Amino acid sequence: MNVLADDGWTQTRINVAGNPNTSTETLDYMSDQWSPHVKRAIATNSNTSVETLKKLSHDSDKSVRQLAYSGLKQKGEKPIDKPSKPAKPVEDDNPGKYMSADFDPMEYFGLND
């Protein structure tokens, strides 16, 4: 699973993140990836640690925050606070965001005018 955690295809990383056999350590490592799709799968995996869920509960993606918050509640943990939107999206610090499914290069480069 560790090798597949760094696969170039987002769908492969989503599958690893959602796999019940993926280790807690691998899930924690993957939680630093830019893809909200991967982070959603991590937030719903029962092997995800409380610490990783707390980190994800402050993600820039609203659905990641909500899933992480729900995961914490399922583990009987009371988060310090409710999920909130960070002041600056994490993706702004990651150039990989332009590989996101949400990125539209035609719009970004003004080619659709």
Side-chain angles (χ1 to χ4, degrees):
M1 292 293 184
N2 291 339
V3 173
L4 294 175
D6 284 321
D7 192 84
W9 293 96
T10 300
Q11 187 59 52
T12 301
R13 294 192 312 273
I14 291 168
N15 292 341
V16 171
N19 189 312
N21 295 317
T22 302
S23 71
T24 300
E25 294 79 19
T26 300
L27 292 167
D28 182 51
Y29 165 75
M30 293 179 75
S31 70
D32 291 327
Q33 294 189 17
W34 56 269
S35 173
H37 307 294
V38 173
K39 292 177 186 178
R40 286 183 206 118
I42 293 168
T44 60
N45 191 316
S46 62
N47 288 340
T48 303
S49 69
V50 169
E51 292 77 23
T52 300
L53 288 170
K54 284 183 179 181
K55 177 172 61 172
L56 291 175
S57 72
H58 297 284
D59 193 77
S60 63
D61 185 272
K62 182 179 180 179
S63 61
V64 172
R65 292 191 307 269
Q66 291 173 334
L67 288 169
Y69 188 72
S70 294
L72 286 167
K73 287 172 64 176
Q74 287 177 354
K75 290 184 179 274
E77 292 290 323
K78 187 169 183 171
I80 296 171
D81 54 9
K82 291 197 179 221
S84 61
K85 185 172 183 174
K88 179 180 178 187
V90 175
E91 287 86 0
D92 284 353
D93 294 330
N94 189 336
K97 74 177 181 178
Y98 301 117
M99 297 174 68
S100 165
D102 299 330
F103 176 68
D104 182 0
M106 298 298 283
E107 179 182 331
Y108 181 79
F109 292 108
L111 302 174
N112 59 353
D113 295 333

